[in-house]
Amino acid sequence: MDTTGTMATLIMANTSAPYHASMPAVHFFEEYLATISGWQIAATTLLVLIAYDQFIYIKNKGSIAGPTFKLPFIGPFLQVLDPKFEAYKKQFASGKLSCVSVFHKFVVLASDRDLARKVFNSPTFVKPCVVPVAEDLMGSNAWVFLDGKAHVDFRKGLNGLFTRKALESYLPTQENVLSHYFSQFVRASRDNGGNPMPFMGHFREINCALSCRTFVGHYISDEAVKKIADDYYCITAALELVNVPLSLYVPYTKVWRGKRAADGVLAEFAKCAAKSKVHMTAGGKPTCIIDRWISSMIESKRYRDEAAAGIENGEKPSVVLREFTDFEIAQTMFTFLFASQDASSSATTWLFQIMAQRPDILGQVRQENLEARNGDVNAPLGLQMLESMIYTNAVVKELLRYRPPVIFVPYLAKKAFPVTRTYTVPQGALIVPSCYPALHDPEVYTQSDLFDPERWISGDASEKSKNWLVFGTGPHNCIAQQYVQLTMTAMIGKAALEVDWVHHPTARSEEIKVFATLFPMDDCPLVFTKRV
């Protein structure tokens, strides 16, 4: 757009006196400004801003795929408000790197497996931001947003919460939650007259309960767990890739509601941390994640005190932790919930739908779980039992490949990032490595759009580790990936033994809805009955 020509035309049209070379420039512009109208100034300013916005977009876009021009200022904001999975797939296919620009935010999508891995493994150039509003919800000092040594040191102190010994200690609580909610599923179906009803909401609640009870045990009430499960919809709704600027401060917007819901969760978890400190200081036995973390803090303090007193016989903990405040503990538990709630709810919804559609697979899962318990359906879960169930674990792994809960993970470019030899991501842009294309690469996974657990048993899927981006890779990969897979294995195995369920497909059952993660468009209508 020729803004210079436009300005010249306006000057010529609105100057009442001829310009004389001897007239001082400042006097000329004073006379000019006195003769033009406000709307002409506004129109000219708008044209200049539009041209500048377009210029910056084209400059940032360079040679990568993306719209030739940007809708002034807002870009594809309306599409962001209602994201379509097919639109994402179309963008994945448009090029190894593609872009959009929404409001002030330039976004680059890395669809190629190797480029996605490069982003995940380039902490010098990028840092995770989840989505831009996430720091407002959780606090910019939450550990997932830490960088470099600070992140490494914090993560070392959390690794002990997900050892095999720790994972086994969480199983009794998880098993109680599963049995309780499976009974609720049966009751809900019975109360609905045995008619199909959407179960996505129920699956969100069971996963919230599993997470809360595993993270903070019984320091939290059933009522608080239910409230968190309900309120978390507000947090999820706020997790758009790009939101309207300043919407955090506008009452009743999605981001405003999400922030208040997040503050409520943080406050509840802070209370749990305070209760756990009292319990563990009194010599209590750890039964949940905060118990184990606080126990490690107590051991570390004892070691430091003994060292300061000159006692050299004290056994040094594997990681010496500082004392974390109740709010810091709450923030960390919230990041765990943030990472697990939507992803686990998505995986659970698809898992129950697909198992109902594939009775042959469900039958093998049921048989394997019965054999692992030596024929006793009431035998308690054990870690070795879960790990021994090859077929059930393969079903879970194939589900995570077939319907990956997380299709991409936004990162922020801390500085100009030469992601390829011909393209550099500008500083301040979002660079988003995508997981979905690698997990559906037909050259790596034969018949990649087919749900086939056997590919993990008799096939070679397990050897394709570079494509397994379900949990990311690099320094910020998911710390709880073993926990997630074992929890899903326990859930579907126990369900297979305790309940039956029937899926009632609709015309939209196979359509994919994007609500932070992926869900069936019809929210998975099912009917549950008690297994006899």
Side-chain angles (χ1 to χ4, degrees), residues 292-341:
R292 299 190 76 88
W293 197 19
I294 290 170
S295 177
S296 295
M297 294 178 206
I298 293 171
E299 290 176 6
S300 295
K301 184 179 185 304
R302 184 182 301 118
Y303 170 78
R304 287 194 301 270
D305 290 345
E306 290 176 351
I311 301 173
E312 299 180 357
N313 294 328
E315 183 178 350
K316 184 178 180 179
S318 56
V319 178
V320 179
L321 303 178
R322 66 176 175 86
E323 293 185 71
F324 292 86
T325 66
D326 294 347
F327 183 75
E328 286 177 314
I329 295 170
Q331 265 191 318
T332 303
M333 295 306 106
F334 184 78
T335 62
F336 289 165
L337 182 65
F338 189 89
S340 67
Q341 175 61 13

Side-chain angles (χ1 to χ4, degrees), residues 119-120 122-130 135 140 144-148 409-415 417 429-431 433 475-476:
V119 177
F120 281 128
S122 297
T124 302
F125 292 99
V126 301
K127 68 174 185 177
C129 66
V130 187
E135 289 192 14
S140 59
V144 292
F145 303 125
L146 296 179
D147 209 11
V409 184
Y411 280 70
L412 180 70
K414 298 186 292 184
K415 56 184 178 180
F417 178 21
L430 292 182
I431 172 69
H476 286 273

Side-chain angles (χ1 to χ4, degrees), residues 96-115:
K96 293 182 178 182
L97 292 174
S98 60
C99 69
V100 295
S101 182
V102 184
F103 291 118
H104 63 291
K105 187 60 65 178
F106 186 71
V107 183
V108 178
L109 184 69
S111 303
D112 175 73
R113 179 200 70 184
D114 294 334
L115 289 180

Side-chain angles (χ1 to χ4, degrees), residues 293-520:
W293 197 19
I294 290 170
S295 177
S296 295
M297 294 178 206
I298 293 171
E299 290 176 6
S300 295
K301 184 179 185 304
R302 184 182 301 118
Y303 170 78
R304 287 194 301 270
D305 290 345
E306 290 176 351
I311 301 173
E312 299 180 357
N313 294 328
E315 183 178 350
K316 184 178 180 179
S318 56
V319 178
V320 179
L321 303 178
R322 66 176 175 86
E323 293 185 71
F324 292 86
T325 66
D326 294 347
F327 183 75
E328 286 177 314
I329 295 170
Q331 265 191 318
T332 303
M333 295 306 106
F334 184 78
T335 62
F336 289 165
L337 182 65
F338 189 89
S340 67
Q341 175 61 13
D342 290 303
S344 296
S345 299
S346 167
T348 300
T349 304
W350 287 112
L351 188 55
F352 275 87
Q353 175 167 310
I354 292 169
M355 290 297 95
Q357 294 170 337
R358 296 290 301 274
D360 55 325
I361 294 177
L362 178 57
Q364 291 188 65
V365 167
R366 183 170 285 141
Q367 184 61 33
E368 183 178 57
N369 275 264
L370 189 60
E371 291 174 356
R373 292 166 171 79
N374 294 317
D376 181 5
V377 295
N378 298 313
L381 284 170
L383 187 62
Q384 189 173 358
M385 175 197 296
L386 291 176
E387 292 175 336
S388 72
M389 293 189 287
I390 295 173
Y391 190 80
T392 309
N393 278 283
V395 167
V396 169
K397 199 157 188 177
E398 176 65 354
L399 183 281
L400 296 174
R401 183 206 67 81
Y402 179 68
R403 289 285 184 262
V406 178
I407 57 175
F408 49 61
V409 184
Y411 280 70
L412 180 70
K414 298 186 292 184
K415 56 184 178 180
F417 178 21
V419 69
T420 69
R421 287 181 296 178
T422 59
Y423 184 75
T424 297
V425 177
Q427 181 180 3
L430 292 182
I431 172 69
V432 185
S434 177
C435 311
Y436 189 91
L439 294 164
H440 281 259
D441 186 342
E443 295 184 7
V444 176
Y445 301 108
T446 305
Q447 294 182 294
S448 60
D449 288 331
L450 178 68
F451 184 84
D452 180 17
E454 284 292 339
R455 71 174 80 244
W456 300 97
I457 301 172
S458 57
D460 62 354
S462 297
E463 300 171 12
K464 312 299 183 181
S465 57
K466 284 190 174 183
N467 284 68
W468 182 248
L469 295 178
V470 172
F471 299 102
T473 186
H476 286 273
N477 71 329
C478 179
I479 193 173
Q481 53 187 286
Q482 186 180 13
Y483 162 81
V484 170
Q485 292 180 87
L486 287 172
T487 301
M488 296 301 298
T489 299
M491 179 187 289
I492 196 61
K494 191 169 180 63
L497 295 177
E498 293 191 2
V499 292
D500 287 314
W501 63 98
V502 177
H503 180 236
H504 291 258
T506 70
R508 311 200 76 184
S509 292
E510 297 305 317
E511 291 184 41
I512 295 177
K513 170 171 61 178
V514 181
F515 186 57
T517 52
L518 306 182
F519 292 93

Side-chain angles (χ1 to χ4, degrees), residues 229-258:
D230 292 340
D231 289 352
Y232 208 91
Y233 271 95
C234 296
I235 299 173
T236 302
L239 298 180
E240 292 171 333
L241 190 59
V242 179
N243 282 282
V244 175
L246 303 178
S247 58
L248 179 68
Y249 308 103
V250 179
Y252 305 108
T253 62
K254 287 187 285 188
V255 182
W256 184 87
R257 291 178 187 275

